[in-house]
Amino acid sequence: MTSMIRVRNVTKSYSRGGETLKVLNGLNLDMDEGRFYALMGPSGSGKTTLLNLVGGLDHPDSGELYVAGANLADIDGAELARWRADNVGFVFQGFNLIPVLTARENVELPLTLTGLSRAERRKHSEYALELVGLKDRMDHRPRQLSGGQEQRVAIARAIASDPKVLLADEPTGDLDRKSAEQVLDLLARLNQEFKKTILMVTHDPHAAARAQSIVNLEKGELGRIDHNVPPVAAPVR
Amino acid sequence: MFKLVWQNLIAHPIRSVLTAASVCIAILLLCLLRSIVTTLDAGIQASSAARLIVMSSVSLFVDMPISYQQRIATVEGVTTIGKWQWFGGVYQDPSNFFAQFAVDPEHMFDMYPECELDQASRERFLATRNGCIIGKQLADKFKWKAGDKIPLTGALFPHPDGGAWDFEVCGVYTSKAANFDDRTMMFQWKYFEETLRAGGQDPGVGVYIFRTAPGANVERIMSEVVAMFANGPMSVRCAPESEFQRMFISMMGDIPMLLGWIGTAVFVALLLGCVNTMLMAGREQIHDVGIFKALGFSNAAAFRILIAQSMILCTLGGIAGIGLTLALKPMIATAIAAMFPVFLVETSTLVLAVVLTIFLGVAAGMIPAWRASRLKPVDALRAGA
């Protein structure tokens, strides 16, 4: 199995109030293509920072970071934006849908960067919404949806342009148990059926148990990795 | 993408409408102020270089002796000369104000070829002692036509009988140029002079207007005319018609400069208001900018989304302002008719309004758009969380 994500000696620091805070401290990590990873660790251990670096939302201070074949330390600006559009889909804890757009328009948003025709974009977005079980809500605005439905729309948006990697930051953090289960089922299904490489930051051991590997971070360094956690996928309700 | 920009605008309808309305009013004001300046300027531009005006060196409101006419006519290069006197009569009510002048009818049409009147009416005007001609707009306003009688109460020159001055309309003229007002009445000097003399008054002349021969040395003529009366009884000032128009306007102060400053102040105030509004909109959308960037939109796209909102708001306001200017033009022309014969909204004013609208849209959106484009996606997402 090939590495989808390869992290080599990556460091990342932030300045806060004149003080430098080292978040990632020479991190080394490999993640295989098509696997579902949960990233765990205490607050401040660097989980979200790593997720942002892997998604090209931020730059490492040093080290090499290969994701989907590209060294993200070497690309910037418009090239990095293009890479994000082509290779990664984000699912955030707060859903991060654009409130003034409908569910379908939100899902269609990343497709406007693909060169697809309007009709094709519409077809793709409807398919993605069907996949998450929300085709009947496609003309609803985010505020007209429940939290769980919003997160499923966010997942539809993340997969609409068929990226290789899905990055989820506490995707169930703001959801009730039932909605959280639906979202986790969906992620597991995307991993199993569509072979998406998924990296999910979570504090919730129950959510982490749905992944195939659990990577633990401690103070910016790699801790224990638990492999072969049996994936649990259930049909989307 | 346009839908996203539009939805962001209508997500705050009151703010968007108020911003567009402020742009609309400012553009309307700028168009009106500039149109007043161009209207003033049009009169000056249309003035004839071959026409010179003689007035008292004391003031436009101090009369000169009638005898000056013959003496000025003797200056080499002077071809035609005529007397003009502001009458200041009232038709029924002071609110019906319009300008009236006592003129020498025989020189009137040579002096002002821009005043168009058919030959029959000219002849009737020359032959009728209390005859007058009126401009087309004036005739339209009071529904006057040839043959009608116009009674005027003399405010400056009361009729010796104590009654009204009676004038008979001999024709309705049209004007070919902006410097010649077609809301004016001109009547026989002879009637004016004889009536006043009958009452024991000695009428004076407000201004003398004369034409010069082609190729004549205007500077010399003006010097000679001024020198002729330097020792009294009334010293005079002589100036080309355009200079006279400027002088007349400057009696009200430096209007173009004043209006220019007001316009600039309005524009700067509006710019600051729009920048403030767009900064607010930009701050509210920082999180959205983070989402766009996370989805793969470039910095340039984030810039475009913010600047497009500013451009759309300002363009809508600007279009409304220009439309309102054109719609209000007839009303304004009527309102200032007493001061200015025409109200010109020139194409250059409308072009300037469009340019300022675009500038406003770009300038107001520049700071938030630039900020949005510079933000790292991770910072934008964190800022709005």
Side-chain angles (χ1 to χ4, degrees), chain B residues 11 15 29 33 38 68 81 137 164 173 237 245 250 280 305 369-370:
Chain B
R15 184 172 70 195
L29 197 56
L33 292 176
T38 52
Y68 279 19
I81 182 164
Q137 287 204 51
Y173 70 84
R237 209 189 296 185
Q245 297 261 25
S250 69
M280 277 195 326
I305 289 167
W370 185 76

Side-chain angles (χ1 to χ4, degrees), chain A residues 12 14 52 56-58 78 81-82 84-85 90 92 96-101 105 109-110 112-113 141 157, chain B residues 1 3-4 7-8 10-11 287-288 290-299 301 376-379 381-382:
Chain A
K12 182 69 187 175
Y14 291 111
N52 289 337
L57 296 179
D58 207 353
R82 184 75 247 171
R84 276 198 300 271
F90 288 92
F92 301 94
N96 284 351
L97 298 175
I98 304 292
V100 295
L101 300 180
E105 288 164 347
L109 207 51
T112 58
L113 299 165
R141 293 254 165 90
R157 182 180 65 185
Chain B
M1 192 58 73
K3 179 154 192 204
L4 173 69
Q7 291 291 343
N8 268 317
I10 61 173
H287 190 66
D288 290 358
I291 299 169
F292 295 137
K293 290 191 177 185
L295 294 177
F297 285 87
S298 62
N299 291 341
K376 283 201 293 189
V378 67
D379 291 336
L381 284 167
R382 205 177 286 141

Side-chain angles (χ1 to χ4, degrees), chain A:
Chain A
M1 201 171 275
T2 54
S3 273
M4 177 60 79
I5 299 167
R6 190 144 54 93
V7 183
R8 290 289 177 271
N9 299 317
V10 163
T11 61
K12 182 69 187 175
S13 305
Y14 291 111
S15 291
R16 237 170 246 165
E19 216 174 296
T20 303
L21 190 69
K22 207 157 195 174
V23 183
L24 294 179
N25 194 9
L27 185 70
N28 288 288
L29 180 65
D30 283 281
M31 293 182 180
D32 293 335
E33 184 178 355
R35 272 187 87 81
F36 185 175
Y37 292 89
L39 194 54
M40 295 191 77
S43 290
S45 60
K47 304 182 297 293
T48 298
T49 299
L50 177 61
L51 195 81
N52 289 337
L53 292 177
V54 169
L57 296 179
D58 207 353
H59 264 89
D61 295 337
S62 65
E64 291 180 342
L65 177 58
Y66 290 90
V67 182
N71 185 0
L72 302 190
D74 289 346
I75 56 176
D76 205 350
E79 195 185 349
L80 185 58
R82 184 75 247 171
W83 176 87
R84 276 198 300 271
D86 291 342
N87 294 286
V88 293
F90 288 92
V91 181
F92 301 94
Q93 180 177 355
F95 324 132
N96 284 351
L97 298 175
I98 304 292
V100 295
L101 300 180
T102 63
R104 189 179 53 73
E105 288 164 347
N106 265 287
V107 175
E108 224 178 289
L109 207 51
L111 295 173
T112 58
L113 299 165
T114 59
L116 291 173
S117 70
R118 199 173 175 162
E120 286 171 321
R121 290 203 305 262
R122 194 181 175 99
K123 200 172 140 190
H124 276 66
S125 56
E126 283 178 13
Y127 176 68
L129 282 166
E130 192 175 3
L131 207 63
V132 299
L134 287 173
K135 197 181 176 191
D136 59 331
R137 299 294 175 97
M138 66 181 181
D139 291 323
H140 287 63
R141 293 254 165 90
R143 66 171 180 275
Q144 297 169 311
L145 301 171
S146 70
Q149 288 170 331
E150 278 196 77
Q151 193 61 296
R152 279 151 63 192
V153 172
I155 292 171
R157 182 180 65 185
I159 60 170
S161 55
D162 196 22
K164 297 184 180 96
V165 182
L166 278 185
L167 301 173
D169 190 1
E170 300 275 11
T172 58
D174 282 359
L175 302 180
D176 58 53
R177 178 52 62 193
K178 189 182 168 196
S179 299
E181 283 302 325
Q182 286 179 332
V183 166
L184 290 169
D185 288 345
L186 198 52
L187 290 175
R189 188 181 164 207
L190 290 169
N191 168 248
Q192 286 188 319
E193 280 184 35
F194 298 92
K195 305 299 174 204
K196 301 291 176 197
T197 304
I198 299 176
L199 176 56
M200 175 179 71
V201 168
T202 183
H203 276 108
D204 180 5
H206 179 76
R210 303 292 295 269
Q212 291 162 323
S213 301
I214 300 175
V215 177
N216 288 283
L217 283 186
E218 286 164 18
K219 293 181 181 173
E221 292 179 0
L222 186 62
R224 204 179 68 246
I225 302 179
D226 299 321
H227 288 297
N228 299 321
V229 175
V232 182
V236 177
R237 287 178 285 274

Side-chain angles (χ1 to χ4, degrees), chain B residues 64-143:
Chain B
M64 293 171 289
I66 289 178
S67 59
Y68 279 19
Q69 184 168 10
Q70 283 183 335
R71 293 179 64 189
I72 294 169
T74 62
V75 175
E76 190 189 337
V78 174
T79 56
T80 317
I81 182 164
K83 300 184 282 293
W84 284 63
Q85 177 60 280
W86 174 265
F87 183 64
V90 175
Y91 174 66
Q92 293 176 342
D93 186 89
S95 62
N96 292 330
F97 173 84
F98 60 91
Q100 311 111 26
F101 291 95
V103 300
D104 287 326
E106 56 272 24
H107 302 302
M108 171 76 210
F109 302 103
D110 294 340
M111 197 74 77
Y112 284 99
E114 50 269 63
C115 174
E116 289 190 317
L117 185 68
D118 63 84
Q119 193 55 37
S121 298
R122 287 185 188 203
E123 285 169 9
R124 201 177 311 127
F125 182 35
L126 283 167
T128 310
R129 184 174 171 269
N130 66 338
C132 69
I133 55 171
I134 54 174
K136 180 157 189 330
Q137 287 204 51
L138 184 62
D140 291 345
K141 183 179 177 184
F142 292 106
K143 311 246 182 303

